[in-house]
Amino acid sequence: MFALVDCNNFFVSCERVFRPQLEGKAVVVLSNNDGCVVARSNESKAMGIRMGTPYYQVSHLADSGRLEVCSSNYVLYGDMSARVMSVLADAVPKIEIYSIDEAFLVLDGMGKERIGTLCASLVSKIRRWTGIPVSIGVAPTKTLAKIASHFAKKFPGYKGVCMIDTEEKRMKALSLTPIEEVWGVGRRLAPKLVESGVRTALDYVERPESWIREHYMLHGVRTWMELRGTVCVETETESARKSICTSRSFADMLESEDELSMKVSDFAAQCARKLREEGTAATEVTTFLYTNRFRTDLEQYFPSATIRLHTAASNTQEIVSAALQALHVIFRQGYRYKKAGVTVGNIVPADSVQASLFDFDPGLRAKNDRLSKIMDMMNSRGDSSLLRLASQKGGHYAADIRREHCSRRYSTSLDEIIEVK
DNA sequence: TCTGGGGTCCTAGGACCC
DNA sequence: TCTGGGGTCCTAGGACCC
């Protein structure tokens, strides 16, 4: 059996832990630049606010006091997530962290009763120890566990834990699950399925496999099998990420290569830092630019360029330099850029980097690596941009992001801890 | 006026090989 | 007018997830 542990309204719940006055109120958390709604409390869901709604469309509710608004505070959410995950990791032999607010528990060889007791105790323990409410769905496959967790969340009668452990329960759950709520069926496929008469998960599993394969290929068949109770989505093995991306929208549109260089340098430096954090290195550095796709009155341009390094690197200088080269290739005067980003790819473990025949100066890389290491050490002591490259100028990549309703760093800042005392 | 960020996997089609 | 057969690898684009 698998259990899916899902934090309820996660970002909102994190905010509420430190500001209990938000309890019982309609609350939303906004994306970067206070752009879109990315998390909602039950109350704000009930008001009809949809996931991804641009904030300006609901800001009148905040102005009139009917809606509480938080800018996103990912440092806080990351820390709260780590707390929840550590409680889970202590409770079972195998856990797969699926996202910031979800984890699968692999419950091989455990009886149903024990699973039930364990999950119930986890719900209350996580609430007491971290302040975060969670729902747990238990089933023979991950796709069914997802469905079970929806029921656990939706109906208070389950007290946070729903188990699909008999054929009867499975069929009933499938019949009550709209097709668009199934894991693996997204906003493109759902309308097509409904059009061909598949409205619920039950309709889906009742179609013959050949029909599924013909229309929805391998992915569709996997979902079909999983809903029927056959495990198809394998247990994850620990593996390094294949790409790392840092990108941001700008509060104001940028027009000069100079301004963009500063941003791109910062994004690239972030990517390099993440590589070092994970003990990996990359050979591909891609820079991309977006104009403002919502401004249909303006010329649009979405270019990207990739620079391939002869030898995998993770030091800030090399990654930034490649990202700036790529920027120079794609930059065109006359457009107004709303967003830029850097992706590093073709990632390998840093300790098994293949040397290149064309690497003209391995000594320089060694020096750069040492310098990056020292920058990491200095920057880890508080100000994360204390030491940076000149090309990053005075900026910090998050400097001019709009964040008008941000909570404090309650759980991670030394200043806050002192203040609380 | 104002519209996020970070990932993965699969497939089709083109380029190439013999 | 007619123009083979069987592979591999890479990439772009599209689907999905949170």
Side-chain angles (χ1 to χ4, degrees), chain A residues 347-390:
Chain A
I347 292 177
V348 296
D351 56 12
S352 60
V353 167
Q354 174 73 52
S356 163
L357 202 54
F358 304 104
D359 198 2
F360 63 97
D361 190 356
L364 179 62
R365 172 163 306 106
K367 280 188 193 171
N368 282 337
D369 284 347
R370 283 206 298 280
L371 184 52
S372 284
K373 198 179 258 181
I374 289 167
M375 287 166 66
D376 288 341
M377 264 170 56
M378 299 293 287
N379 291 342
S380 69
R381 296 183 185 179
D383 182 355
S384 62
S385 56
L386 180 66
L387 291 182
R388 54 182 180 262
L389 299 189

Side-chain angles (χ1 to χ4, degrees), chain A residues 122-397:
Chain A
L122 280 174
V123 169
S124 68
K125 190 185 276 183
I126 292 170
R127 185 67 197 244
R128 273 184 289 121
W129 290 9
T130 71
I132 302 292
V134 302
S135 304
I136 305 185
V138 182
T141 68
K142 290 182 178 175
T143 309
L144 287 170
K146 276 267 189 187
I147 289 180
S149 81
H150 291 323
F151 284 98
K153 189 172 291 192
K154 202 166 166 189
F155 302 106
Y158 286 111
K159 295 187 176 146
V161 183
C162 171
M163 199 177 325
I164 298 177
D165 57 351
T166 66
E167 263 309 281
E168 252 185 296
K169 289 189 198 170
R170 186 176 70 86
M171 297 305 270
K172 179 149 190 222
L174 293 182
S175 72
L176 292 172
T177 301
I179 190 65
E180 66 270 16
E181 281 180 21
V182 173
W183 194 37
V185 178
R187 64 198 164 85
R188 302 276 173 168
L189 259 37
K192 282 168 71 182
L193 282 160
V194 170
E195 204 174 308
S196 44
V198 177
R199 283 182 188 77
T200 66
L202 187 62
D203 295 339
Y204 189 77
V205 297
E206 283 177 345
R207 292 293 164 115
E209 185 179 345
S210 56
W211 185 85
I212 304 285
R213 190 177 293 279
E214 186 188 335
H215 292 90
Y216 304 100
M217 291 172 280
L218 186 58
H219 195 82
V221 175
R222 260 191 217 155
T223 301
W224 185 81
M225 303 265 279
E226 284 256 322
L227 289 174
R228 293 167 69 100
T230 306
V231 173
C232 255
V233 180
E234 320 90 80
T235 305
E236 291 290 320
T237 44
E238 282 293 313
S239 66
R241 284 192 283 181
K242 293 175 177 165
S243 66
I244 293 173
C245 178
T246 306
S247 72
R248 290 291 179 278
S249 295
F250 312 128
D252 302 307
M253 289 181 275
L254 303 182
E255 291 175 60
S256 75
E257 184 171 1
D258 215 39
E259 288 173 295
L260 286 168
S261 292
M262 188 171 102
K263 298 293 182 187
V264 165
S265 294
D266 259 320
F267 300 152
Q270 278 297 315
C271 287
R273 196 187 52 73
K274 290 180 198 166
L275 284 169
R276 295 194 295 272
E277 221 170 72
E278 300 189 352
T280 54
T283 59
E284 286 179 5
V285 181
T286 302
T287 300
F288 59 86
L289 298 173
Y290 289 169
T291 47
N292 190 337
R293 65 196 161 101
F294 297 105
R295 289 289 299 272
T296 47
D297 55 321
L298 299 176
E299 285 285 312
Q300 298 292 315
Y301 182 43
F302 308 110
S304 76
T306 301
I307 301 289
R308 289 182 171 78
L309 306 173
H310 283 138
T311 308
S314 65
N315 68 72
T316 300
Q317 296 94 312
E318 274 185 273
I319 302 290
V320 168
S321 149
L324 289 175
Q325 273 178 58
L327 171 65
H328 194 68
V329 170
I330 56 178
F331 176 79
R332 294 280 179 279
Q333 199 72 46
Y335 293 100
R336 304 179 68 193
Y337 298 98
K338 178 65 177 171
K339 177 174 176 171
V342 173
T343 302
V344 293
N346 212 344
I347 292 177
V348 296
D351 56 12
S352 60
V353 167
Q354 174 73 52
S356 163
L357 202 54
F358 304 104
D359 198 2
F360 63 97
D361 190 356
L364 179 62
R365 172 163 306 106
K367 280 188 193 171
N368 282 337
D369 284 347
R370 283 206 298 280
L371 184 52
S372 284
K373 198 179 258 181
I374 289 167
M375 287 166 66
D376 288 341
M377 264 170 56
M378 299 293 287
N379 291 342
S380 69
R381 296 183 185 179
D383 182 355
S384 62
S385 56
L386 180 66
L387 291 182
R388 54 182 180 262
L389 299 189
S391 63
Q392 294 168 253
K393 307 262 168 55
H396 175 262
Y397 82 104

Side-chain angles (χ1 to χ4, degrees), chain A residues 8-19 22 25-45 47 49-56 58-59 62 66-78 80 100-101 132 402-408 410:
Chain A
N8 302 343
N9 315 328
F10 183 55
F11 297 169
V12 169
S13 297
C14 291
E15 297 289 346
R16 281 177 169 168
V17 169
F18 297 96
R19 292 162 66 197
L22 295 179
K25 292 187 179 164
V27 184
V28 293
V29 174
L30 303 178
S31 63
N32 264 331
N33 272 320
D34 292 344
C36 296
V37 171
V38 293
R40 304 158 296 158
S41 68
N42 290 344
E43 298 79 5
S44 53
K45 285 176 189 171
M47 286 165 73
I49 298 173
R50 306 265 298 267
M51 185 72 169
T53 306
Y55 176 53
Y56 70 85
V58 293
S59 54
R66 282 177 285 170
L67 182 65
E68 296 288 337
V69 177
C70 306
S71 300
S72 44
N73 183 346
Y74 289 102
V75 175
L76 177 69
Y77 311 150
M80 295 306 289
I100 194 164
D101 70 335
I132 302 292
R402 202 178 304 123
R403 193 171 269 158
E404 286 171 8
H405 314 273
C406 199
S407 50
R408 300 175 184 185
Y410 294 105

